Amino acid sequence: MNIAFFLLPKGEVVCLPHDATLRQALERMEYHRYTAVPIINHEGEYVGTITEGDLLWFMKSRPDLTFEGTNKVRIGDVPLRLNNRTVNIDANMDDLISLAKVQNFVPVVDDRNHFIGIVRRSEIIDYCEKGLSQKI
């Protein structure tokens, strides 16, 4: 099975530009009710994934930071605790599944490391569930 079958294309993925502010990240995550969002640079390359935990730990370590001040902090200044790994669009299912075990979603990139979308863990589980139910 080709992983492109599971791909949620970039245009449908909530992302943050790498120069977004902490406040923009908080508001986008709250609005969409996501706990993690991919970060993309201006060249379209995947930079990393920022999580609610990253934001909370950053804010906790800066007691002088007010909510109003979050619009002055760039997400590039927020340390990312997890290194969400990507797969290439040509990757095999084994690579995808091994990452989906430890990541809620797997960022997918092309040969130039340009972000082209994500594969959600839930999509892989649904696919596996259907395969198991057909064998029974």
Side-chain angles (χ1 to χ4, degrees), residues 68-126:
E68 291 77 29
T70 59
N71 64 347
K72 296 178 181 135
V73 177
R74 300 281 174 216
I75 59 172
D77 297 330
V78 177
L80 305 179
R81 295 176 304 119
L82 302 175
N83 179 22
N84 278 18
R85 294 185 28 224
T86 63
V87 294
N88 189 281
I89 190 65
D90 297 331
N92 63 43
M93 285 299 291
D94 291 340
D95 294 335
L96 182 65
I97 290 171
S98 67
L99 289 177
K101 289 190 306 188
V102 295
Q103 297 174 194
N104 286 336
F105 62 85
V106 180
V108 181
V109 297
D110 65 14
D111 292 337
R112 298 175 302 163
N113 195 41
H114 287 172
F115 179 76
I116 58 175
I118 64 171
V119 175
R120 294 179 182 149
R121 182 187 329 183
S122 60
E123 294 292 325
I124 297 167
I125 292 170
D126 289 345

Side-chain angles (χ1 to χ4, degrees), residues 18-38:
H18 74 288
D19 58 353
T21 66
L22 180 59
R23 183 159 187 171
Q24 289 170 321
L26 288 165
E27 289 175 348
R28 186 159 301 171
M29 292 170 94
E30 177 188 27
Y31 178 81
H32 293 283
R33 302 179 63 109
Y34 290 149
T35 59
V37 177

Side-chain angles (χ1 to χ4, degrees), residues 22-79:
L22 180 59
R23 183 159 187 171
Q24 289 170 321
L26 288 165
E27 289 175 348
R28 186 159 301 171
M29 292 170 94
E30 177 188 27
Y31 178 81
H32 293 283
R33 302 179 63 109
Y34 290 149
T35 59
V37 177
I39 304 168
I40 311 302
N41 69 18
H42 289 298
E43 290 78 39
E45 298 169 327
Y46 172 78
V47 175
T49 297
I50 194 160
T51 67
E52 284 181 329
D54 297 332
L55 301 175
L56 292 171
W57 285 110
F58 181 83
M59 292 171 67
K60 180 180 183 240
S61 69
R62 288 163 179 74
D64 57 318
L65 180 63
T66 64
F67 184 71
E68 291 77 29
T70 59
N71 64 347
K72 296 178 181 135
V73 177
R74 300 281 174 216
I75 59 172
D77 297 330
V78 177

